[in-house]
């Protein structure tokens, strides 16, 4: 019988002291659209938790980027930061209802790529040190999206 919180079915999560109450509530919220089989699969629940937390952190990061763009007076950075943060929230809602990780991953990485390119285009181009992000994005894509999902 599993004793770790991430190994228990969703219905039994309330009976175990979790690492964090917020994480438990977030996991239960994200699993609302999952089938019973998916809810009982520890690997699926861990994937939901990891993708959800990563998306929330990235949303906060791009919202912070929008605030920084407002502070320095570059409207394109504000618009792209808010657009990507909104896209991430919409992707999180889509992921909750559909549980389609590869499509959600494609949407998130596409949003990051478009935001990075637009920011580079309007804030210095090749002279901007953030150009390194264009080399890091494919590595992130390779890690987050498996080969089978990226081919079709």
């Amino acid at each position: 019988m599993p004793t770790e919180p991430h190994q228990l079915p969703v219905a039994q999560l309330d009976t175990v002291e979790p690492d964090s109450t917020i994480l438990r509530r977030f996991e239960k919220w994200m699993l609302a659209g999952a089938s019973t089989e998916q809810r009982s699969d520890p690997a699926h629940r861990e994937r939901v938790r990891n993708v959800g937390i990563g998306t929330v952190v990235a949303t906060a990061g791009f919202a912070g980027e929008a605030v920084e763009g407002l502070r320095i007076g570059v409207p394109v950075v504000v618009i792209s930061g808010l657009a990507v943060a909104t896209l991430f929230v919409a992707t999180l809602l889509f992921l909750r209802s559909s549980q389609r990780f590869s499509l959600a991953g494609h949407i998130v990485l596409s949003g990051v790529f478009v935001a990075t390119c637009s920011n580079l285009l309007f804030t210095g181009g090749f002279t901007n040190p953030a150009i390194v992000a264009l080399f890091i994005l494919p590595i992130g894509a390779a890690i987050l999206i498996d080969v089978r999902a990226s081919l079709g």
Side-chain angles (χ1 to χ4, degrees):
M1 181 73 175
T3 57
E4 296 294 320
H6 66 278
Q7 295 174 335
L8 294 174
V10 174
Q12 293 179 357
L13 282 176
D14 291 328
T15 63
V16 176
E17 285 298 318
D19 296 333
S20 169
T21 304
I22 294 172
L23 285 178
R24 181 181 61 183
R25 288 182 182 174
F26 182 75
E27 181 180 346
K28 286 175 74 173
W29 181 79
M30 285 295 294
L31 287 170
S35 67
T36 307
E37 183 179 300
Q38 289 172 327
R39 288 181 189 191
S40 62
D41 181 17
H44 182 79
R45 284 203 320 270
E46 183 178 357
R47 194 176 316 129
V48 165
R49 189 180 319 116
N50 292 342
V51 168
I53 291 169
T55 305
V56 168
V57 169
T59 302
F62 275 101
E65 177 188 8
V67 170
E68 180 65 17
L70 190 62
R71 187 186 70 77
I72 62 175
V74 181
V76 171
V77 174
V78 176
I79 292 168
S80 69
L82 290 177
V84 172
T86 305
L87 176 71
F88 284 177
V89 170
T91 303
L92 203 57
L93 294 173
F94 167 75
L95 183 60
R96 178 182 184 230
S97 63
S98 71
Q99 303 292 310
R100 295 179 62 189
F101 290 98
S102 61
L103 182 57
H106 285 295
I107 293 170
V108 166
L109 287 173
S110 298
V112 170
F113 179 74
V114 169
T116 303
C117 287
S118 68
N119 288 346
L120 288 173
L121 181 66
F122 292 103
T123 60
F126 286 109
T127 62
N128 190 335
I131 194 79
V132 174
L134 289 180
F135 300 106
I136 295 172
L137 279 173
I139 296 170
I143 292 170
L144 295 176
I145 299 176
D146 61 348
V147 174
R148 206 178 48 203
S150 65
L151 294 177

